[in-house]
Amino acid sequence: MHTILVMAGGVVLLLCGQLLARFTGITSQAQAALYFVPLWLLIAASNMWAGVQGAGYSVMEELPIFLLVFAVPAILAYALWRQLRY
């Protein structure tokens, strides 16, 4: 359940970045999608670190979860970038 909630949080963060880019005009929505990826990498890595340090899982146990948590919102960001870049 935690994994699904974290991935949903990533999607919500991506959408918030898109809305912020659209309504403020500071950057394009395509650029906002690209800016999301390194930010999400840091957040997903900190989630993995919390699982290793706090919950007592090994890095090898947490690695597939990290990849899933990172990949789903990052793939959505990539798809948005491809759609909005022109």
Side-chain angles (χ1 to χ4, degrees), residues 8 11 26 31 33 40-41 54 68:
V11 172
I26 294 172
Q31 282 295 107
W40 185 243
L41 179 64
L68 180 67

Side-chain angles (χ1 to χ4, degrees), residues 55-85:
Y57 294 111
S58 71
V59 172
M60 292 309 292
E61 289 173 323
E62 277 289 317
L63 188 60
I65 305 301
F66 164 75
L67 293 173
L68 180 67
V69 163
F70 173 71
V72 171
I75 289 170
L76 288 173
Y78 175 72
L80 270 171
W81 174 76
R82 292 216 11 128
Q83 187 71 27
L84 296 172
R85 67 185 171 148

